[in-house]
Amino acid sequence: MLLQNRITIVHGGSGAVGSAVARAYAREGAEVHLTGRTRATLEDVAHSIRDEGGIAHVAVLDAVDRDATRLLLPRRPSYADVANAAVFAASDWATAMTATEINLTGGAVVD
């Protein structure tokens, strides 16, 4: 398995793209941490990963909340952080810029 003993944080892990990424990483052996704003849908994805033998955890948070994101950082150095705020048709400029910020900096935490 390519990602055995690796940790992956998938922001937006309950959406179509995020859940597909999370499932793919889990199939390759990664321990997956799903984040998002809706616990029920995150738990559904985590349950499906666990049903396939994977390891999945859920954290309800907003990817732009730096303090909450910092708490998810693994204690081990080997991890991937997937920012996934896909917005294909934003209703306004502010929404488009928020999605862009999350995709570019959502997982970045600088101490």
Side-chain angles (χ1 to χ4, degrees):
M1 295 183 156
L2 293 174
L3 300 173
Q4 192 69 41
N5 299 319
R6 309 265 192 214
I7 296 172
T8 303
I9 301 169
V10 181
H11 299 284
S14 63
V17 174
S19 63
V21 169
R23 286 182 180 99
Y25 275 62
R27 279 193 297 274
E28 288 299 328
E31 177 182 323
V32 178
H33 293 257
L34 303 164
T35 74
R37 294 177 290 190
T38 308
R39 178 169 298 281
T41 53
L42 290 167
E43 291 290 355
D44 288 345
V45 176
H47 184 71
S48 70
I49 289 171
R50 291 181 198 122
D51 282 350
E52 294 177 9
I55 300 170
H57 308 279
V58 168
V60 177
L61 61 86
D62 191 326
V64 296
D65 180 344
R66 299 290 186 247
D67 292 332
T69 301
R70 184 177 282 111
L71 294 174
L72 283 179
L73 290 177
R75 302 292 184 245
R76 294 176 280 178
S78 184
Y79 76 98
D81 199 340
V82 180
N84 174 48
V87 174
F88 301 105
S91 58
D92 56 62
W93 184 254
T95 301
M97 290 302 97
T98 298
T100 300
E101 177 187 3
I102 292 169
N103 281 324
L104 295 176
T105 67
V109 176
V110 179
D111 288 324

